[in-house]
Amino acid sequence: QVHLLESGGGSVQSGGSLRLSCAASGYYRTSYGMAWFRQAPGKEREGVAAIGGDGNTMYADFVKGRFTISRDNVKNTLYLQMNNLKPEDTAMYHCAADSTRFNAGPSLWDAEFNYWGQGTQVTVSS
């Protein structure tokens, strides 16, 4: 069992920045792929950024150049640095872990992730 706990969400104005964290515990391995997803009210969940167990990263087009995903394998923590935030970034952000593949490349396909955190709310006002 892997436990994921997100933090760092909040309310910011357009153009502001936030840094999300996701602390992993339990049967967590640094070889797992990790990712951030988000879901706004009335909308489907969408992948934001992913980092594979191989260390490579992948971003959704709508965050490229603004968001950066990283992981600290000593602290077992996943991060999402979000800059130049826009009102359309408003959503609940969830981190997810894929324990079924080891040292694999990044993925934003949510069906590949079997552990999910409860989420942290990000609200961006114009």
Side-chain angles (χ1 to χ4, degrees):
Q1 191 81 355
V2 175
H3 302 283
L4 303 173
L5 182 63
E6 302 95 335
S7 61
S11 297
V12 296
Q13 290 190 327
S14 183
S17 298
L18 284 173
R19 188 194 195 201
L20 305 184
S21 299
C22 172
S25 61
Y27 197 76
Y28 171 78
R29 295 296 179 266
T30 58
S31 58
Y32 293 169
M34 301 286 290
W36 289 96
F37 292 83
R38 70 186 188 186
Q39 188 167 20
K43 295 187 177 181
E44 292 189 356
R45 182 168 59 196
E46 57 186 0
V48 175
I51 185 165
D54 63 358
N56 289 317
T57 58
M58 175 186 291
Y59 296 92
D61 287 343
F62 52 78
V63 302
K64 283 182 180 177
R66 300 190 297 125
F67 292 9
T68 303
I69 189 171
S70 62
R71 66 196 300 171
D72 184 328
N73 288 338
V74 174
K75 295 181 178 180
N76 287 347
T77 301
L78 179 72
Y79 301 101
L80 184 67
Q81 178 66 45
M82 305 186 295
N83 298 327
N84 191 22
L85 283 160
K86 304 175 181 180
E88 51 264 43
D89 294 318
T90 295
M92 183 71 77
Y93 284 71
H94 300 266
C95 68
D98 171 15
S99 70
T100 65
R101 301 182 303 144
F102 302 95
N103 296 316
S107 171
L108 286 176
W109 185 28
D110 59 359
E112 290 189 339
F113 294 86
N114 53 337
Y115 291 104
W116 294 81
Q118 293 294 313
T120 185
Q121 178 67 37
V122 172
T123 302
V124 185
S125 58
S126 58

